[in-house]
Amino acid sequence: MSKQLVLMDHDGGVDDYLATMLLLTMDHVELLGIVVTPADCYVQPAVSATRKILDLMGFSHIPVAESTVRGINPFPYLYRRDSFIVDHLPILNQSETINTPLVAEPGQDFMVKVLREAIAPVTLMVTGPLTNIAVALDQAPDIEAKIQKIVWMGGALNVPGNIEKNWEPGQDGSAEWNVYWDAVSAARVWKSQIEIIMCTLDLTNNVPLTSELVQKMGRQRNYPISDLAGQCYALVIPQDYYCWDVLATAYLGHPEFYQLREWETEIITNGMSQGRTKVVAGGRKIYAMDRVDKEAFYNYILQQWAR
Ligand SMILES: [Ca+2]
């Protein structure tokens, strides 16, 4: 059986490295590359940490590309600085050299190239904003036919967003960060015919990162990947943290854990609700992950990271 072709686009948050680590454990997936978007990170340490994770897990043949796209509303620096911390974790710095190649061209150009060269349609696994895809589609409209679907952690349909109002007085609290960073690009992707499967805050709000989960990783820390995953989660445990990107990515491994539901939506690109994914009759059809078997999900990531 041929493998599922996947191109990952992440934005360098703690959660994104964990999602990468989960994707790399999926035997039925052929990962064609990783694009790092400069959103929930500082991009140089985020690219570096990503390449070191690929080295550690034995995937140093997979290329990593740095995107040079720009968003509209920057992520808080307190979130972004985690990229420096992860890049300096001892387990990722056992060697002086990095073997995983850094692509010379910008990530958005690399996305076009990978899609054009792919022998079959590719699933885009996106755990950051949709900016690269919007730029790539404008630059090379022919690639739309090479995208099988987009699986995306983003949006908030029938729950509040996650923008801190005291940091972002221009937002009414309805937006989710990956949309808010660049809502114009999300709206551009909404204009395409590509199938979109979203993991929104409606679902992730029900799947918190728990102390129990991190402690279970500690008890299997003789496995380097569990040790690294536990270290990453320990960094963020003081925050109100949920399994966002990891929950979205686990869909590729076990879609049967999830129930999907179709919605008609639009992306609000300006005013106080900019970045909102609004449910509107007659709007663009998307699928949202509506329910998940939580215990199966938690057990799955623990099992996959036992390596
Ligand atoms: Ca992310």
Side-chain angles (χ1 to χ4, degrees):
M1 211 179 76
S2 59
K3 291 192 174 192
Q4 182 179 5
L5 303 181
V6 176
L7 178 63
M8 186 183 206
D9 183 338
H10 81 59
D11 71 335
V14 170
D15 210 16
D16 295 274
Y17 306 117
L18 292 154
T20 303
M21 286 154 59
L22 183 63
L23 189 57
L24 290 171
T25 68
M26 296 180 192
D27 293 331
H28 71 289
V29 163
E30 184 176 340
L31 187 57
L32 301 174
I34 300 179
V35 178
V36 182
T37 295
D40 188 12
C41 66
Y42 292 92
V43 77
Q44 279 82 21
V47 165
S48 170
T50 302
R51 294 169 67 209
K52 289 173 184 175
I53 288 168
L54 288 165
D55 277 7
L56 179 70
M57 294 184 72
F59 290 94
S60 55
H61 59 284
I62 296 177
V64 175
E66 177 185 324
S67 163
T68 57
V69 299
R70 292 292 175 258
I72 296 162
N73 297 297
F75 273 76
Y77 84 95
L78 274 173
Y79 299 179
R80 300 171 66 202
R81 69 198 279 275
D82 288 337
S83 53
F84 280 104
I85 298 173
V86 173
D87 187 41
H88 285 79
L89 289 175
I91 193 170
L92 292 178
N93 289 279
Q94 302 171 85
S95 167
E96 283 180 26
T97 52
I98 305 180
N99 293 319
T100 297
L102 174 62
V103 175
E105 65 211 307
Q108 61 275 28
D109 297 350
F110 174 70
M111 179 175 279
V112 170
K113 192 177 99 177
V114 167
L115 290 169
R116 280 183 170 160
E117 288 176 358
I119 55 167
V122 175
T123 296
L124 297 181
M125 182 66 239
V126 185
T127 57
L130 294 175
T131 311
N132 286 309
I133 303 176
V135 169
L137 284 170
D138 280 345
Q139 203 173 298
D142 56 288
I143 62 169
E144 184 168 332
K146 296 298 288 288
I147 301 173
Q148 188 172 61
K149 60 178 180 280
I150 298 172
V151 177
W152 184 39
M153 193 282 124
L157 298 175
N158 299 296
V159 295
N162 59 359
I163 312 290
E164 296 260 359
K165 267 186 247 180
N166 46 353
W167 292 351
E168 293 288 328
Q171 221 288 327
D172 63 9
S174 61
E176 183 280 327
W177 263 111
N178 285 341
V179 191
Y180 186 61
W181 193 72
D182 181 5
V184 174
S185 284
R188 166 66 184 89
V189 174
W190 250 235
K191 286 202 182 90
S192 75
Q193 303 298 313
I194 305 164
E195 180 181 352
I196 298 174
I197 300 176
M198 295 166 71
C199 182
T200 67
L201 298 185
D202 307 65
L203 185 68
T204 62
N205 285 349
N206 299 305
V207 187
L209 170 65
T210 63
S211 290
E212 191 196 353
L213 183 70
V214 183
Q215 285 154 1
K216 281 183 179 167
M217 284 174 197
R219 289 197 286 278
Q220 57 183 41
R221 76 175 282 259
N222 50 321
Y223 294 109
I225 303 311
S226 280
D227 190 28
L228 175 56
Q231 298 250 4
C232 287
Y233 273 143
L235 263 178
V236 294
I237 199 88
Q239 304 164 34
D240 215 7
Y241 213 84
Y242 294 85
C243 297
W244 294 292
D245 298 351
V246 176
L247 186 63
T249 304
Y251 178 82
L252 293 189
H254 281 284
E256 77 280 7
F257 290 173
Y258 300 75
Q259 278 176 37
L260 301 183
R261 180 167 171 183
E262 192 177 87
W263 295 93
E264 296 180 336
T265 61
E266 73 172 277
I267 304 285
I268 310 293
T269 55
N270 52 42
M272 291 294 282
S273 298
Q274 67 169 294
R276 180 173 179 187
T277 324
K278 193 176 180 187
V279 175
V280 180
R284 205 272 196 203
K285 286 190 168 63
I286 57 95
Y287 293 101
M289 299 176 199
D290 196 50
R291 290 179 184 196
V292 64
D293 180 340
K294 262 166 70 166
E295 286 317 304
F297 164 74
Y298 287 133
N299 289 335
Y300 173 58
I301 61 175
L302 278 168
Q303 170 208 308
Q304 293 304 100
W305 287 336
R307 63 181 70 203

